[in-house]
Amino acid sequence: MNLVKQIGYIATAVKCYPKAWKFLGSNKLKHFFLYPILVALGLFFVTSTLFTTASEELLNWCINIFGLQEYKDSWLYTLAMWMMRLSFWMLFQSVNRYLVFIFMSPILAFISEKSNEILSNEKIPFNIHQLMSDIIRGVVLALRNLSLELLITAGLWAISLIFPVVIPITVVLIFMFQCYFYGFGFIDYNLERKKFKRRASVRWMRQHFGLAFGIGAGFYLLFAIPYIGWILAPVLSCVAATLAFNKMFDSSDPKLPTSNPLLKV
């Protein structure tokens, strides 16, 4: 993996966010921001209530399982509580992001298709089968990425419990993996249009880690903004991913030739 090239991919992704905002405005597409409001309102009240109840129950279970009551007055207990509460909060935020992604999959697939149509200046006939394929693939990919992210996060936190000194490194690694998986989901709509199979898509995304990370980091940071983050993040990230992908494709990216051998995977 060429580090300089990956940094360039990150820069490309980041620059596409302000361009995405202008793109939505100039093409009269800002009405798409209305859809996340409905999803956000429903998910916020349901998931926040469940999180409050479940996290306390899980915290008490962990205290009993690991026998932490004996260390209640020690720094070890304080550290363990801090780590568990932080991990539960990160888990809650991560699941929320994926739920938004899953429930908005039909809209995101359409937005990506519409953006690509405008960029290519080519009127593409509406194809319900293609749209359904995009939606199903988006949902399946989101569930796959969520499962992988949870496994990686659990493994990294387990290492941190054994070696507390690596906690700062663990937090950075978890952030990087989360952003990569989020970006993966948004960019994959474009790979689907290029007829990439799922395994081929995974391979391409690994080669363009920086692009996925940059798009995912934008989504992560926007989503963290109270109230409006849930509204802005999905649509902006979807359009930014399409702009970034098309920029790379128009630049004759050597990893995207017309007769791409990855299509056969």
Side-chain angles (χ1 to χ4, degrees):
M1 183 183 291
N2 189 313
L3 182 59
V4 175
K5 185 179 289 187
Q6 298 305 323
I7 292 173
Y9 291 155
I10 294 173
T12 297
V14 172
K15 289 176 184 176
C16 283
Y17 271 90
K19 291 179 181 178
W21 178 261
K22 292 179 181 177
F23 181 87
L24 286 162
S26 61
N27 291 285
K28 299 179 180 179
L29 299 175
K30 286 188 176 179
H31 59 276
F32 282 114
F33 285 122
L34 295 174
Y35 297 98
I37 295 175
L38 301 176
V39 176
L41 286 174
L43 287 178
F44 178 78
F45 292 109
V46 173
T47 56
S48 59
T49 302
L50 288 174
F51 170 73
T52 302
T53 305
S55 62
E56 288 303 317
E57 291 292 329
L58 190 55
L59 188 64
N60 292 329
W61 180 80
C62 289
I63 291 173
N64 293 329
I65 287 294
F66 293 107
L68 295 176
Q69 300 96 328
E70 302 176 15
Y71 306 96
K72 199 166 186 178
D73 298 322
S74 70
W75 67 270
L76 180 63
Y77 181 87
T78 303
L79 178 63
M81 291 300 101
W82 178 82
M83 285 182 60
M84 284 191 286
R85 289 186 186 280
L86 177 61
S87 61
F88 294 158
W89 180 82
M90 291 178 71
L91 175 63
F92 167 68
Q93 291 295 323
S94 182
V95 170
N96 261 346
R97 293 185 196 101
Y98 278 107
L99 286 175
V100 169
F101 191 91
I102 289 169
F103 282 106
M104 280 201 64
S105 188
I107 301 301
L108 295 177
F110 182 77
I111 292 172
S112 182
E113 186 73 39
K114 184 68 176 177
S115 300
N116 183 68
E117 181 180 297
I118 294 170
L119 289 169
S120 63
N121 199 26
E122 179 183 350
K123 186 67 177 178
I124 302 172
F126 179 74
N127 188 327
I128 186 64
H129 297 294
Q130 180 62 48
L131 181 63
M132 290 304 298
S133 175
D134 290 347
I135 293 169
I136 293 170
R137 175 162 162 156
V139 172
V140 171
L141 186 65
L143 293 173
R144 169 198 176 273
N145 288 347
L146 175 59
S147 301
L148 287 174
E149 183 186 313
L150 292 177
L151 284 173
I152 292 171
T153 301
L156 289 172
W157 278 120
I159 294 172
S160 298
L161 281 171
I162 301 171
F163 305 105
V165 71
V166 303
I167 290 176
I169 299 174
T170 297
V171 172
V172 172
L173 287 175
I174 290 174
F175 172 73
M176 289 180 64
F177 279 115
Q178 285 182 333
C179 291
Y180 168 73
F181 286 127
Y182 299 148
F184 191 151
F186 287 110
I187 296 172
D188 187 67
Y189 289 115
N190 301 279
L191 291 171
E192 165 71 5
R193 278 194 297 274
K194 299 297 180 185
K195 307 303 180 185
F196 272 55
K197 301 298 183 183
R198 273 195 289 270
R199 282 200 301 166
S201 181
V202 170
R203 190 183 305 175
W204 188 90
M205 211 68 67
R206 286 173 182 167
Q207 295 168 346
H208 299 78
F209 180 93
L211 190 71
F213 172 79
I215 294 296
F219 174 70
Y220 187 105
L221 296 174
L222 281 172
F223 201 90
I225 301 174
Y227 306 114
I228 64 171
W230 287 40
I231 300 169
L232 297 177
V235 175
L236 272 177
S237 298
C238 184
V239 175
T242 304
L243 291 175
F245 184 85
N246 275 269
K247 179 180 176 60
M248 293 181 65
F249 187 76
D250 291 341
S251 300
S252 300
D253 183 350
K255 295 296 189 301
L256 281 171
T258 304
S259 57
N260 198 314
L262 293 179
L263 301 181
K264 299 175 183 178
V265 175

